[in-house]
Amino acid sequence: MTAQAFFQVLASGLLMGLLYALIAVGLSLIFGLMDVVNFAHGEFLMVAMYATFGLWAIVGVDPVLLMPLVIAFMFVFGAAVYLGVVRFAMRAKTNSGMVQIFATFGLAILIQGVSQLLFSPDYRSIPASWLGGRTVSIGGVFLPLPQVYGGLISVLAFAGLYLLMSRTDFGKALEATREDQGAVALVGIDRNKVFALGWGLGAALVGLAGSVLAIFYYIHPQVGGPFALVAYVVVALGGFGSVFGALAAGLIVGVVESFAAIAMPPAMKSIPVYLLYLGVVFIRPSGLFGRL
Amino acid sequence: MTPRRWQLVVLFAVTAGFVAVPAVLRDAYLLNVLILTLMYAALAQSWNILGGYCGQISLGHALYFGCGAYVTSLLFTKLGVSPWFGAMAGGCVAAVLALALGYPCFRLAGHYFSIATIVIAEIGLLLVHNWDAVGGAQGIQWPISRDSWWTLQFARNKAPYVYLALGLFVITWLVTYWIEGSRWGYWWRAVKDNTEAAESLGVEVFRSKMAAAALSAFFTAVGGGFYAAFVGYIDPESVMTFRFSLLFALPAVLGGIGTLWGPLVGAAILIPMTEITRSYMGGSGNGVDLIIYGALIMFIALAKPEGVLSLFQRDAKPEAAR
């Protein structure tokens, strides 16, 4: 492999990894906050992609400009899912883990059905975007513009998330609630409100990823599944609940997958990623940066 | 008679009821629904052995199901081995696989364990998908042959499949019943409730998990062998995807996890509902079947977190508590 080809593969892996991290971080945030694994996470991504597609079809404005609307919608959607579904799943006194898994799994199927009803099972794509089909060349390495845009959005989102977590009252309330759910009630923090905002924030983050992905990926009711699987692996590899573990793990997964895709039949490119996850947790049972 | 013995009487009555069904019910479609219901009840009971009694939430049982389906199909189509022996062989391969995978995986806890089971099953799916010697993405087609109990092929009358699925369910039920009263059963529930406490009291935690995994994988694979003989055609997508792993756990969870009757109750609600919505509403492709199906799963999970079975139990079951 020439140096140029090496950097080409590395760069596209890193860009995809940034997007994987952005998809996964909402899942990690929600898990860290309240120990719930959202099995409808892939469907959240799919909803954001359809929201972008639907707005684009109605308004006719470039998807890049629609992004704020999409993430606002996803914020409301995520908070509504918490208030309408997850809040009740948490009340279960027995085997609450399984109840959460299957309540959100049922929700995932429901969302797939609704999007099939609204948009039909056909594959959709957004043919015209400012970014679509263009590439930039950096030192002989060619990068598709939508992916570069996605990478930038992801970096900005992580920077924003860092500021939010460390500098704002909401961030402190999030951190306090994940440390001790009982104690925060004593100091006047409404646990339900923090959870609802946490779900909103998690959904808005995956919504951001969805609005980018909609520019260069096919949109259909089952599109979320494979991305959700990558997100679970990223979150677990980084360590459940560790936001920046998700960033590191996302980048690792993106790069491993990118090199695997040229070393073996592309259909099998996920195998090294899965093996990496197994290898890491067999040595470190709580992931790279997780607290057990 | 002790309450435990009464369970056997209930099993006998339920079995007798199901045996009588094909005599009065001739409709091929409804028999098909019944066969699938009993098969999923057996598969959920197998999952329940590891997930419900021992508390190890595997979301990768599609691997063992696929293992049974593939071993049975390959032995039959390439060597002419009867599916009776094929399913046994598949079960043994799956049990050995479960032990080999359990050795590293059972050191993982909680979600790290569940995600490990998911990715291992996905690796299996991808390997089979790209492995031409076992049919690759094309899958394996069973040859058309005349009705026979030796090859388990019944083209005209589906009743024998009802008896086979029922037999499979009764066997998994009896094994679970036996375990419940044995030392293993007490060990497994101790591992589920509090692993550290169990270990300090001398329970062999690792061996308990390994035994539960092997038994659970064996019966899941036998179910896979039955399924292959029943449908006569398998490919990686139809037996090994993640959705199947969830479908094996779902009836047990909806009916009552870690209980003797939960898997059957859950399957009896879920499978007819799935099949009926799919055939009456799925054809249009408008997604209404998925909406109803998803909403129902969500509703049962939220309304009855301990499972539907808890409606009929006045005293709280100690093993359901956490």
Side-chain angles (χ1 to χ4, degrees):
Chain A
M1 187 192 274
T2 64
Q4 190 178 345
F6 175 82
F7 284 113
Q8 178 74 54
V9 176
L10 182 69
S12 45
L14 286 171
L15 287 179
M16 204 59 214
L18 281 170
L19 210 52
Y20 285 157
L22 188 58
I23 294 170
V25 70
L27 192 68
S28 184
L29 192 79
I30 290 167
F31 180 86
L33 189 62
M34 51 204 283
D35 268 23
V36 171
V37 175
N38 176 16
F39 265 72
H41 195 71
E43 279 61 37
F44 279 28
L45 181 75
M46 180 263 283
V47 168
M49 291 172 78
Y50 270 120
T52 309
F53 175 80
L55 281 171
W56 168 80
I58 295 165
V59 186
V61 177
D62 195 273
V64 175
L65 296 178
L66 293 169
M67 195 182 73
L69 278 175
V70 172
I71 58 175
F73 169 75
M74 288 307 293
F75 185 90
V76 174
F77 180 75
V81 165
Y82 171 73
L83 293 171
V85 180
V86 180
R87 188 158 57 106
F88 300 101
M90 293 183 74
R91 285 189 191 159
K93 288 181 199 73
T94 56
N95 72 81
S96 60
M98 293 307 281
V99 173
Q100 288 155 9
I101 289 177
F102 285 106
T104 52
F105 172 63
L107 178 71
I109 294 177
L110 178 77
I111 296 174
Q112 284 180 16
V114 171
S115 45
Q116 202 165 312
L117 187 65
L118 294 178
F119 294 96
S120 89
D122 297 345
Y123 279 49
R124 310 282 190 160
S125 64
I126 298 175
S129 163
W130 297 334
L131 303 169
R134 297 194 193 176
T135 57
V136 285
S137 164
I138 302 165
V141 174
F142 289 92
L143 299 170
L145 210 50
Q147 275 91 329
V148 174
Y149 165 71
L152 277 175
I153 293 284
S154 174
V155 170
L156 290 175
F158 272 95
L161 192 60
Y162 174 74
L163 291 176
L164 184 78
M165 302 281 272
S166 59
R167 301 282 162 83
T168 65
D169 284 348
F170 172 61
K172 284 179 191 137
L174 274 182
E175 189 60 35
T177 312
R178 65 197 278 178
E179 289 289 332
D180 190 336
Q181 296 189 8
V184 292
L186 297 175
V187 296
I189 295 174
D190 181 355
R191 197 179 67 146
N192 251 329
K193 199 171 140 196
V194 175
F195 284 165
L197 291 172
W199 273 79
L201 182 59
L205 286 163
V206 74
L208 204 51
S211 81
V212 174
L213 208 55
I215 298 173
F216 65 93
Y217 210 86
Y218 286 104
I219 308 163
H220 58 102
Q222 273 79 41
V223 72
F227 286 102
L229 189 57
V230 174
Y232 299 136
V233 172
V234 165
V235 169
L237 182 63
F240 270 99
S242 166
V243 166
F244 295 94
L247 176 60
L251 289 171
I252 294 170
V253 167
V255 170
V256 169
E257 198 185 78
S258 179
F259 279 99
I262 55 165
M264 56 178 65
M268 294 166 86
K269 69 180 180 183
S270 300
I271 290 181
V273 174
Y274 299 151
L275 291 175
L276 175 78
Y277 166 73
L278 294 173
V280 167
V281 291
F282 289 158
I283 298 164
R284 275 186 61 86
S286 54
L288 291 170
F289 303 98
R291 303 174 289 190
L292 199 62
Chain B
M1 247 196 293
T2 63
R4 224 175 106 68
R5 295 269 177 232
W6 272 108
Q7 300 281 354
L8 289 172
V9 177
V10 175
L11 177 75
F12 184 78
V14 168
T15 309
F18 278 121
V19 167
V21 170
V24 289
L25 189 73
R26 297 274 168 195
D27 184 75
Y29 172 73
L30 292 177
L31 282 179
N32 193 51
V33 173
L34 179 64
I35 293 161
L36 289 175
T37 302
L38 289 167
M39 185 188 84
Y40 274 102
L43 289 163
Q45 190 68 282
S46 313
W47 181 88
N48 201 24
I49 292 173
L50 180 63
Y53 284 91
C54 200
Q56 306 303 303
I57 304 301
S58 160
L59 296 177
H61 262 46
L63 180 68
Y64 307 128
F65 186 74
C67 180
Y70 266 94
V71 170
T72 309
S73 299
L74 286 170
L75 285 176
F76 182 69
T77 56
K78 304 229 162 158
L79 301 172
V81 176
S82 162
W84 287 99
F85 300 111
M88 292 296 131
C92 294
V93 173
V96 171
L97 196 61
L99 291 174
L101 295 172
Y103 187 77
C105 285
F106 281 132
R107 288 185 299 165
L108 303 174
H111 298 298
Y112 293 99
F113 172 78
S114 298
I115 304 247
T117 60
I118 295 176
V119 303
I120 290 169
E122 283 296 309
I123 292 173
L125 170 67
L126 289 171
L127 289 177
V128 171
H129 204 283
N130 290 283
W131 186 6
D132 290 332
V134 300
Q138 300 277 304
I140 303 170
Q141 175 76 52
W142 285 45
I144 294 168
S145 49
R146 49 194 187 80
D147 290 9
S148 147
W149 279 93
W150 177 248
T151 60
L152 296 186
Q153 296 301 297
F154 304 98
R156 280 184 210 93
N157 180 9
K158 296 287 170 195
Y161 289 121
V162 176
Y163 300 129
L164 285 166
L166 181 63
L168 189 62
F169 170 73
V170 170
I171 291 168
T172 55
W173 190 96
L174 284 171
V175 168
T176 315
Y177 174 84
W178 167 72
I179 288 164
E180 225 186 27
S182 75
R183 188 182 60 172
W184 284 108
Y186 289 98
W187 277 13
W188 293 357
R189 274 167 284 175
V191 170
K192 177 187 174 178
D193 288 341
N194 190 334
T195 310
E196 286 80 17
E199 188 138 43
S200 72
L201 291 170
V203 171
E204 295 196 45
V205 171
F206 186 70
R207 268 182 58 199
S208 290
K209 291 177 179 178
M210 291 287 263
L215 210 54
S216 180
F218 177 85
F219 285 111
T220 304
V222 172
F226 165 79
Y227 182 76
F230 172 53
V231 296
Y233 168 73
I234 58 162
D235 66 359
E237 267 66 37
S238 69
V239 291
M240 291 187 80
T241 52
F242 176 54
R243 177 159 284 221
F244 281 92
S245 297
L246 286 172
L247 283 178
F248 302 152
L250 197 53
V253 174
L254 295 185
I257 190 169
T259 63
L260 272 175
W261 291 105
L264 181 64
V265 171
I269 295 168
L270 193 70
I271 304 304
M273 234 264 320
T274 316
E275 291 303 313
I276 289 163
T277 51
R278 184 189 294 160
S279 44
Y280 288 103
M281 279 169 279
S284 63
N286 63 8
V288 175
D289 57 323
L290 293 177
I291 295 174
I292 295 174
Y293 181 53
L296 189 99
I297 292 173
M298 210 166 74
F299 177 75
I300 299 179
L302 295 178
K304 276 278 142 219
E306 316 80 30
V308 174
L309 206 61
S310 65
L311 285 172
F312 308 105
Q313 288 166 333
R314 264 163 293 157
D315 54 330
K317 293 218 96 183
E319 63 263 30
R322 249 170 82 167

